[in-house]
Amino acid sequence: MTRYRIALIPGDGIGAEVLPPAEALLDAVGRRHGIEFAYDSCDWSCERYLAEGAMVPDDGLDRIRHHDAVLLGAVGWPGVPDHVSPWGLLIPIRRTFQQYVNLRPVKALAGVPSPLRSAGAGGVDLVVVRGNVEGEYSEIGGRLGRGTADELAVQEAVITRKGVTRVVEYAYAVAGSIGVAPAADLDPEREFPSMFEPVHGSAPDIAGRGEADPLGAIWSAAMMLDHLGHPDASAELLAAAFGALADGVSAADLGGTADTAGYTRAVPTGWAPRPAWAHERRSRTFGHWSPPPTGAAAGVRPGRHG
Ligand code: NAI
Ligand code: MG
């Protein structure tokens, strides 16, 4: 049995709705591959910022720097300016942990109506590799005369040869490879945990309705499995997640009728996700993690693939 400690950062809005399906499916596919995940859930969010004045506790990043990976939902919420929430959480993680590659695969999926549909499954397979810590993220600059009519802001986009070279080299290394999935913030040196997150934000317009499409989070979780050295489990999870689409089940954003729980149930992993997840309010305090029930206690049932 291989065990991993995963730092979970649900964040804001639908971030907290799309991670439980990803967790449940990770657990299910992990059981088939001898992999066990222990999750430490961090309450880092705009809610925390409003209550305590900081998105992340002072020693927050130190508490997760030895985890095997970070799984993040989304960050940002009305009432907290968008320059505060990412700069207080997302960007410090990416920078501190040297996640200098941002990886976002693109695929045409069976069962999803799209202008690219005529290309057929596999006909579109793109990966975007973007530099993640330089350029606009350099944080070189500042403000003069803050709050006055003469206020001046200067921001420099700094790009170094070293920074470009390492990202370009990474891009060449992954070009043409299949099976890598959407948003990952990678430290290819593996000195720090890498982070896996759906590209989307917290979707305040639909948050709380149970309608969010969990596929981005599930796909990100599959990327995490691959990064941790489990390409078979990753491919199985991905195929299962896409299988639901091919079976004609999709969430509203893809024109379907499935809600978050319904889509998750339609993913044929061989084990259904814990039925209680949708209503579970796990401890959101870091370090107070209790393992999810397993086996009969969780009400698992054999799925279509036995
Ligand atoms: P958004 O991605 O949250 O939402 C854009 C539109 O897409 C909305 O209509 C939303 O309902 C829909 N949508 C997004 N994810 C969905 C899902 N899984 N299923 C179904 N529909 C989905 O972008 P928006 O509205 O510009 O930003 C909202 C907040 O999220 C802001 O505070 C923003 O800063 C933050 N944000 C955070 C990101 C991150 O954590 N990496 C990335 C993008 C935005
Ligand atoms: Mg995101």
Side-chain angles (χ1 to χ4, degrees):
M1 181 70 78
T2 311
R3 295 192 90 238
Y4 293 108
R5 276 188 83 194
I6 308 299
L8 278 187
I9 308 175
D12 301 300
I14 63 165
E17 300 172 35
V18 296
L19 281 199
E23 275 176 74
L25 291 169
L26 271 177
D27 289 340
V29 78
R31 279 194 288 275
R32 294 167 64 86
H33 291 265
I35 308 164
E36 196 174 84
F37 298 98
Y39 303 101
D40 287 315
S41 193
C42 309
D43 68 347
W44 308 346
S45 59
C46 289
E47 195 180 324
R48 186 184 192 283
Y49 175 81
L50 292 173
E52 313 207 19
M55 299 288 296
V56 174
D58 286 345
D59 63 347
L61 299 197
D62 284 335
R63 291 196 228 161
I64 64 169
R65 71 191 302 134
H66 298 296
H67 280 62
D68 294 298
V70 181
L71 201 52
L72 181 137
V75 180
W77 196 249
V80 176
D82 272 353
H83 68 271
V84 168
S85 42
W87 284 93
L89 173 49
L90 263 188
I91 292 169
I93 292 176
R94 290 175 179 171
R95 294 166 71 123
T96 303
F97 295 161
Q98 288 293 306
Q99 294 165 347
Y100 61 81
V101 168
N102 184 264
L103 190 66
R104 300 181 175 187
V106 179
K107 290 183 197 296
L109 300 174
V112 181
S114 145
L116 299 172
R117 193 171 160 73
S118 59
V124 174
D125 190 350
L126 296 171
V127 178
V128 176
V129 179
R130 188 194 70 175
N132 213 26
V133 295
E134 296 190 342
E136 286 71 24
Y137 294 113
S138 303
E139 207 183 3
I140 304 291
R143 285 157 73 182
L144 182 66
R146 273 174 194 256
T148 71
D150 298 327
E151 183 166 359
L152 170 77
V154 175
Q155 185 183 27
E156 287 291 338
V158 177
I159 296 164
T160 67
R161 179 180 293 273
K162 179 185 171 187
V164 170
T165 302
R166 62 191 185 179
V167 171
V168 169
E169 282 176 353
Y170 190 92
Y172 273 101
V174 298
S177 84
I178 51 166
V180 277
D185 301 289
L186 300 176
D187 168 16
E189 321 298 335
R190 292 175 183 263
E191 184 182 349
F192 300 102
S194 290
M195 182 159 68
F196 303 85
E197 50 163 332
V199 171
H200 64 72
S202 59
D205 55 336
I206 60 160
R209 294 199 219 147
E211 289 171 11
D213 190 337
L215 186 53
I218 294 166
W219 197 339
S220 303
M223 289 188 87
M224 185 183 83
L225 276 171
D226 195 45
H227 176 80
L228 291 172
H230 301 282
D232 293 350
S234 176
E236 184 178 311
L237 177 53
L238 214 49
F242 297 158
L245 292 176
D247 287 347
V249 179
S250 65
D253 58 322
L254 296 179
T257 56
D259 59 10
T260 310
Y263 186 81
T264 308
R265 274 194 305 272
V267 175
T269 59
W271 278 270
R274 293 175 278 140
W277 68 262
H279 308 289
E280 184 183 355
R281 176 90 183 168
R282 71 160 66 228
S283 164
R284 288 184 49 143
T285 309
F286 184 94
H288 293 85
W289 176 82
S290 51
T294 53
V300 295
R301 58 171 170 77
R304 272 178 275 172
H305 295 197

